[in-house]
Amino acid sequence: MNQDYIKADPWKIIEEGFSADQVKSSESLFSIGNGAMGQRANFEEHYSGPTFQGSYIGGVYYPDKTRVGWWKNGYPEYFAKVLNAPSWIGIDVHLNGTRLDLNQCTVRSFRRELDMEHGVYTRSFEAETADGLQVKVTAVRFLSMKVDELGAIRYSITPLNADAQIVMTPYLDSSITNHDSNWDDAFWNTTEVQVGENEAYILAQTNKTNFKTCTFMGVALYLDGKKVLSAGKSDQKEKWAGITYSQNVTQGAVLSLEKFGGYVVEKFHSRSALDVAQGVVADALATGFDAYLALQHQAWETIWSTSDITIEGDVKAQQGIRFNVFQLNQTYSGNNPQLNIGPKGFTGEKYGGSTYWDTEAYCIPFYMATKNQRVARNLLQYRYNQLDRAIENAQKLGFKDGAALYPMVTMNGEECHNEWEITFEEIHRNAAIAFAVFNYYRYTGDYSYIPEMGLEVLIGIARFWHQRATFSKHKNAYVILGVTGPNEYENNVNNNWYTNYAAKWCIEYAAEQITKVKEGYPEDYARIKGVTKIDRYEVDAWMKVAKNMYFPYDKDLDVFLQNDGFLDKELIPVSELPKTQRPINQRWSWDRILRSVYIKQADVLQGFYFFEDHFDQATLARHFDFYEPFTVHESSLSPCVHAIQAAKLGRMEQAYQFYLRTSRLDLDDYNKEVEEGLHITSMAGTWMSIVEGFAGLRIVDDKLSFHPQIPDQWGSYSFKINFRNRILKVDISKAQVAFTLSGDTEMSIRMFGKRVVLSPDQTTIHPLS
């Protein structure tokens, strides 16, 4: 049974009632971030029960030495760990000498609320200590979307049945360790601790990578809204800094501590981290909690103005999409091209790294359409900046002459994934990088990225595919051997159809762009030719591979086969699997999984998603009907692709069920693992399920095209698209579609294949037939 304690609400995530069994799951679900840092929803006060403490800083990592039983040539030296950073949220509380700890108290009421509309997390409870004192506590917390190094907490305590002596100690703690360390190495080195009257700083740097950081706090105390001027008592230890405030509080009065904290990473500044942090603290204390809270509301109002999706008539679906969009905006703001989108974002440590192929395959469409094109361009520039490392990665595996293999997992462009079937074999990731270049230009119309940066990336990728293919005399065609496709439940196969098809496309697309840049951008071409030494003879050699690529196919079924030997398996559909055997990745041995027909996520169908205009509707239907029944959807990236394709085929009930699966994957904890963190990158797939799936958004002949449908469960839905710096609002009900265009110029779109001209600042209505 899926978890069901999260209350349905269109704008909020709500938990009512305290359960120790839910603490770690809720720490994930109520996580907050601002693109530069993030934290799990850990309690501010001490908690002695099971908890997963987690605070994270964007771009800061530790190269944890690889731990494997049998070393293989080409293995990465390390696995990049997202670092559990020094904690700044802690507030130790003593009530009449008894430490406040919900694991030791009688909890009379408890509520968490994540206000997604305004980016604010609130926790409140009433508790009774062992000596009978009853208190009410309210903690309000947010990470500023205006000042990305700053977070704020207002922690308020009210004695309910007696006067009380309340002692509050806000503190910083750099003794935090990662849950997933390979060798229990120390990831951080604390170099200095400073404590003042109402502020404190811990300077720490990562071992090996030497990221210099400053964790800071500034505090102010208020009694019934009036500032308490008495100074706190400062204290410090080797890895800890605190300031203790003691106050006698009458029954019914409110003692509030406002705590500002966060992180400064020195590499993002020209001054020392300490200098910058001191300035942030001074500004925060002068500005105050309420003023920053108002700025937070304004920032999220701006974010939602372009990224919100409204759904009428289905509260759980509405809550699901807003939760997904909220987390995507918390994870990546697009302000810093040195950052990217990790699969867990700032909500946990699993998977490590900051970048997977998920960014290019699933996330870029969301950021292109809900922000400006600069944000998506930054994501592409991230890969261009790491091209040299991609070439080094390929060299380590024996490739040469500028062939580039982008990493499966990375922090700085260097491969740091160390499972051989992924590191060496899941090479289809290269195709997602090239497809993102194509997809960016197709959507934005900004070709400048390709001559400036993208063509060099495409050349490196094409060179890799050319060298990775082998000519088979037996098949009289080029084959790609020993790979793992998107379906990770089948390793070391030959001729994964998706990999082969994507390789062919990458080569052809790179060759096409070489010609286009040579003819239209001669100065850029001369520079690129000087760097890459590309010539027409090499391109001819590539094209020979592309034109003669082998694709496994069964003529009786009239389908492309996922890989050689696929039909040798027992073709037992998922519907015939006992529920007690699901999920198979938690019930079966790996040997049994590899020998089974079951597909973790879209594989052949991933190719039909990327390259859908290469195939007609009947061909898609045939492949969908063959492969989906064998798909267990045990990857978070699977339901969205199937939702889009089911909608394209007009199977809206099936598409709706896939949508619910992707939108509420974490809220309902389908995979029984939400306590480890959220599935951030797959959340972009939820947005795609609605916009590309239900609304049928595509780019056709340089224009927006829609084939809108609506699930039976919904009364209406709406969203906005930023298309080439023009905002288009789309409202879809059971009867009609309304387009409202903002801007100064008209826009031509397609609706069910027919041309529709939209006038600025006017609403155009068409029947939904």
Side-chain angles (χ1 to χ4, degrees), residues 259-299:
K259 180 177 185 180
F260 298 97
Y263 307 102
V264 173
V265 182
E266 196 161 289
K267 76 168 187 171
F268 298 144
H269 296 276
S270 58
R271 295 181 290 144
S272 75
L274 179 60
D275 284 347
V276 176
Q278 288 172 333
V280 174
V281 169
D283 288 345
L285 292 174
T287 304
F289 186 93
D290 288 329
Y292 275 115
L293 183 60
L295 291 172
Q296 184 78 345
H297 285 207
Q298 292 171 16

Side-chain angles (χ1 to χ4, degrees), residues 24 111 154 175 345 385 442 487 556 762:
K24 289 199 285 186
R111 177 183 171 92
R154 175 181 280 157
S175 65
N385 291 343
R442 175 174 65 173
N487 173 27
D556 294 329
Q762 292 185 19

